[in-house]
Amino acid sequence: MHFKMKFLLPAALLAASVGAASAATCEAVVESNDAMKYNVSEIAIDKSCKKFTVTLKHVGKQPKAAMGHNWVLTKAADQAGVNADGIKAGAGKDYLPAGDARVIAATKLIGGGETTSVSFDTSKLKSGEKYVFFCSFPGHSGLMKGTIKF
Ligand code: CO
């Protein structure tokens, strides 16, 4: 029994890790902080993913009203317009225009210590189009912006 277990366990672990490596990861974790930054500048979305989930963590301590962060996905060409309209929409709307078709996905706005996530259908993304993610809190998207690799 002891002899058998010694050899079975490593084989099972190896099989599990190989399986995990070959399957596409259809999620990403993005950290944001009190220095107005995300910890990633590019997110790769594998075309085999039907749905993709982004989890946003605010690892800082500042409250939402002072250093709020969200994660908003739009076409690169729509980013400036959505950002401007979001600022007009105000804090009560998480700085996003309500029901705006240009917003492909967005988390709620969070403050320090909070975590949130959003899932979206990758069928909304088209090959060859350029997509970006950014924080729509006023003044943040200059530093808090990245690209989607799809
Ligand atoms: Co922000």
Side-chain angles (χ1 to χ4, degrees):
M1 187 60 186
H2 280 130
F3 179 82
K4 208 174 180 185
M5 283 301 287
K6 257 184 195 169
F7 289 91
L8 277 176
L9 191 57
L13 286 173
L14 184 65
S17 63
V18 168
S22 61
T25 302
C26 299
E27 60 179 332
V29 177
V30 176
E31 285 185 6
S32 56
N33 61 24
D34 283 344
M36 209 193 292
K37 285 194 175 145
Y38 293 131
N39 70 336
V40 293
S41 58
E42 182 184 90
I43 294 175
I45 299 179
D46 194 282
K47 285 189 168 65
S48 69
C49 296
K50 287 194 168 76
K51 275 185 180 281
F52 197 84
T53 300
V54 171
T55 297
L56 176 69
K57 295 181 177 179
H58 192 321
V59 300
K61 291 191 167 72
Q62 295 280 331
K64 184 168 94 166
M67 186 55 72
H69 299 316
N70 58 8
W71 185 92
V72 181
L73 171 64
T74 66
K75 286 180 185 173
D78 289 336
Q79 190 252 326
V82 169
N83 207 1
D85 290 345
I87 289 165
K88 282 184 211 154
K93 302 283 185 193
D94 278 4
Y95 298 110
L96 275 181
D100 193 311
R102 296 172 297 177
V103 177
I104 297 164
T107 68
K108 65 175 186 171
L109 195 72
I110 58 172
E114 293 184 298
T115 297
T116 188
S117 68
V118 64
S119 295
F120 54 95
D121 284 335
T122 58
S123 61
K124 293 178 176 178
L125 305 176
K126 292 179 178 65
S127 287
E129 182 67 63
K130 285 182 178 163
Y131 297 94
V132 295
F133 62 90
F134 64 98
C135 175
S136 69
F137 192 97
H140 284 200
S141 66
L143 285 173
M144 303 188 75
K145 188 178 172 183
T147 53
I148 299 288
K149 193 178 165 191
F150 177 72

